[in-house]
Amino acid sequence: MAQDFSSGGPLWYVDATKISAIHDAGTTGEGVTIAVFDGGMYPEISNLQGADIEVRDLAQCPDPTAPAPTAFAALQHGTSVTSLIVGNGTSDNGSGPVGIAPDARILYYGALQTDCDVDAFPVALADAVAQGADIVSMSGGYRRLDDELSQPAAAAVADALRAGVLVVASLPNADSVWENELGDINGVVNVAAVDAMAQAAKKRDGSDMANDDVDVVAPGVDVAGLGWDGTWGMSAWSGSSAATPIVAGVLALGVQKWPDATASQLLQSLIRNTGSTPHELEWSNRFGHGIVNATRLVEEDPSQYADENPLFTDGQVPTFDEVYAPTDPSSTDGPEPDGDGAPAVLPWILVGGGAVVVAAIVIVAVSRRKSGGREDV
């Protein structure tokens, strides 16, 4: 049975992922650049002091830092996402979110604000690639993008993957009204949430969240956030939006630890080293390939794995050849994700190993049969 970490309050994910030991060993995300796509963000809070954050100006969007500090509804989401990557552990009421990759460089894009132009996402992604981003973390989306931006978004993702950028995106919470435009795009790591007992996040009716596009899961229920209680003290929030930056942060640790590994090899390692012991690739629509394990991702040499992105599926865009074909890599029509199995062993029970969330996107040829996932796992 999985260990219950809920007694740790909103910081339970720190103990569950064993992230402190990884930081103490010198792996902190130093030298890694993460582009965060979100809404408004308040960079002046105590939790983000000392962090390397550059807010990128987009002509297609308002300044994400413009809202007043008391505009919590506009600022809480993006601020909380950023804090889970590079937060320093403080807040206005004492303790605060602890970042998974505190020494990573953040490029912040307010590309998910409601007042952005429809082409904000492709423009922001192209800029992130040009600025040297290693990982893109996107928690959220618009319903409009699912239809209006499918091709431009796919083309932008194809360019990012071709450049070796890892792209991580949150799946919609089951009760959300929005759809993530990246959920149906190949090569992206789609993230869902689990709680302190390593159980899938719940719908309002008490049933487990399930999604045919889930790739991995990470801590995302009642984790540390900022602004959710109307103050800049630590509060708790939940959802795939919270799990996604944890995945991105963990992946940043892998990028730092294994600088010679390709993005695809890191992604192979991410999905093959879930749980507490090595196991064959498995998949379910509740856990994807399993709960990401930060300790094993850092310890296992990714060069042992094929240099192929495992997150391509027939029927979704872009196709593998459109991304990697030497003759015409700029096309953007293609496949859809899939996979099979269920998490072998839930990672919290791992002695000395943490289950964390890392996510970055990469391109791999190994097809995942998501349609083969089982509802009963």
Side-chain angles (χ1 to χ4, degrees):
M1 184 173 181
Q3 184 175 347
D4 182 359
F5 285 94
S6 59
S7 62
L11 292 172
W12 69 266
Y13 69 95
V14 176
D15 292 333
T17 60
K18 306 287 191 295
I19 204 67
S20 297
I22 296 174
H23 291 170
D24 290 345
T27 305
T28 59
E30 184 175 4
V32 181
T33 298
I34 302 174
V36 174
F37 289 17
D38 215 288
M41 193 266 289
Y42 184 32
E44 303 304 320
I45 58 172
S46 61
N47 182 265
L48 296 179
Q49 298 313 295
D52 184 358
I53 301 174
E54 177 184 351
V55 178
R56 298 291 295 170
D57 179 48
L58 289 176
Q60 294 77 9
C61 296
D63 178 357
T65 67
T70 53
F72 295 105
L75 299 169
Q76 61 197 11
H77 194 279
T79 305
S80 295
V81 163
T82 306
S83 74
L84 286 172
I85 301 175
V86 294
N88 61 25
T90 68
S91 74
D92 283 1
N93 64 8
S95 297
V98 173
I100 298 296
D103 290 333
R105 174 190 180 213
I106 298 294
L107 299 174
Y108 192 91
Y109 296 84
L112 301 187
Q113 298 176 87
T114 55
D115 292 334
C116 289
D117 294 342
V118 72
D119 60 343
F121 171 76
V123 170
L125 187 53
D127 187 75
V129 173
Q131 294 299 314
D134 299 291
I135 299 165
V136 170
S137 178
M138 178 169 156
S139 293
Y142 310 119
R143 180 182 295 277
R144 70 178 187 187
L145 291 181
D146 191 48
D147 297 322
E148 298 177 26
L149 279 191
S150 57
Q151 287 304 317
V157 169
D159 288 341
L161 295 175
R162 198 174 300 119
V165 178
L166 300 168
V167 181
V168 188
S170 64
L171 288 167
N173 298 313
D175 298 313
S176 297
V177 296
W178 62 268
E179 297 179 16
N180 187 342
E181 69 276 15
L182 299 189
D184 294 329
I185 293 179
N186 270 327
V188 175
V189 179
N190 292 311
V191 182
V194 291
D195 64 17
M197 282 286 292
Q199 298 300 305
K202 303 294 184 184
K203 300 179 185 179
R204 291 179 184 175
D205 64 7
S207 62
D208 286 351
M209 296 275 192
N211 192 300
D212 287 344
D213 290 313
V214 61
D215 293 311
V216 292
V217 292
V221 177
D222 293 329
V223 298
L226 298 158
W228 298 95
D229 62 352
T231 75
W232 292 115
M234 183 169 67
S235 50
W237 66 308
S238 300
S240 58
S241 287
T244 297
I246 292 180
V247 171
V250 172
L251 197 48
L253 304 180
V255 172
Q256 179 192 356
K257 180 65 184 292
W258 304 104
D260 294 330
T262 68
S264 292
Q265 287 173 327
L266 286 167
L267 186 54
Q268 292 273 7
S269 185
L270 175 70
I271 67 174
R272 293 177 185 278
N273 287 297
T274 58
S276 57
T277 59
H279 55 82
E280 294 299 318
L281 278 178
E282 298 178 327
W283 184 89
S284 78
N285 62 5
R286 289 163 59 212
F287 298 98
H289 293 291
I291 304 175
V292 178
N293 187 318
T295 299
R296 293 187 61 208
L297 185 77
V298 169
E299 290 179 346
E300 293 291 329
D301 185 349
S303 68
Q304 66 185 289
Y305 304 116
D307 186 11
E308 296 179 331
N309 187 319
L311 303 181
F312 274 70
T313 302
D314 292 340
Q316 289 189 189
V317 295
T319 65
F320 189 84
D321 286 345
E322 285 170 339
V323 176
Y324 295 109
T327 52
D328 181 18
S330 62
S331 181
T332 56
D333 293 312
E336 172 168 325
D338 78 85
D340 29 325
V345 181
L346 292 177
W348 303 167
I349 60 178
L350 176 63
V351 177
V356 165
V357 236
V358 189
I361 198 101
V362 180
I363 292 190
V364 182
V366 181
S367 184
R368 62 190 187 211
R369 273 326 276 162
K370 288 185 175 175
S371 58
R374 302 194 306 276
E375 290 282 356
D376 59 344
V377 295

